[in-house]
Amino acid sequence: MSTHVIEPGWFTVNVFNRAVSWLTRRGISVWGSRALAVRGRKSGQWRTTPVNLLTVDGQQYLVAPRGHVQWTRNMRAAGGGELRLGRKAEAFTATEVADDDKVPLLRAYLKRWKAEVGVFFKGVGPDSPDADLRRIAPDHPVFRITVTN
């Protein structure tokens, strides 16, 4: 398994994520944003982070543009969590997508959010060949989510 991680900078942590989280808590989705809540794998406490909810062919996915970060590790341990938008919280289970199945999902994700997250994909974009998307697939966890409530 890849250990690829791109840590967020000061601006992302202290300005961008806080602004998106503030809007999401008030029920305003920014380009499909949600607050992802997952139980910590060690503490058991709820941990939240803003995410982009991707829908492809009626199925919902979460993609980790920064790689194998804390929320992805917690998701593997917890097997699910909640997606929050305003007062609405949807519980879900999560299944990690195999690297070979990520190509169309990464392409769709980059089509929608390349301007926001493209820098994390090593020069690969939505119009890149399948081979390039397959090459970076191990660095970007993808989870298929199934709403349970």
Side-chain angles (χ1 to χ4, degrees):
M1 175 185 292
S2 171
T3 58
H4 175 78
V5 173
I6 299 174
E7 296 291 336
W10 182 91
F11 181 82
T12 299
V13 170
N14 293 296
V15 178
F16 185 77
N17 282 357
R18 286 184 182 185
V20 172
S21 294
W22 186 86
L23 290 167
T24 303
R25 280 192 308 273
R26 280 146 187 83
I28 301 168
S29 176
V30 180
W31 277 74
S33 66
R34 299 289 188 279
L36 169 66
V38 180
R39 295 257 184 207
R41 62 192 180 284
K42 295 176 183 175
S43 70
Q45 299 296 312
W46 285 104
R47 305 290 183 205
T48 60
T49 190
V51 294
N52 293 321
L53 181 61
L54 174 68
T55 302
V56 175
D57 296 331
Q59 181 62 58
Q60 295 180 318
Y61 299 90
L62 294 175
V63 176
R66 292 179 176 272
H68 299 270
V69 293
Q70 294 299 326
W71 75 258
T72 63
R73 295 178 189 127
N74 290 338
M75 183 78 75
R76 287 184 189 110
E82 291 181 353
L83 287 173
R84 300 174 180 172
L85 181 60
R87 294 181 182 187
K88 182 179 178 184
E90 294 181 320
F92 67 88
T93 58
T95 305
E96 193 159 4
V97 175
D99 290 341
D100 290 335
D101 299 328
K102 291 179 185 176
V103 170
L105 303 173
L106 292 173
R107 187 178 308 284
Y109 189 82
L110 286 165
K111 276 184 183 176
R112 177 136 177 139
W113 290 291
K114 183 181 182 206
E116 181 183 332
V117 300
V119 68
F120 307 128
F121 287 86
K122 300 178 183 174
V124 175
D127 300 323
S128 296
D130 286 356
D132 288 347
L133 287 159
R134 175 60 185 90
R135 178 178 46 81
I136 65 161
D139 293 339
H140 302 282
V142 177
F143 294 90
R144 182 177 60 248
I145 63 169
T146 305
V147 175
T148 58
N149 64 343

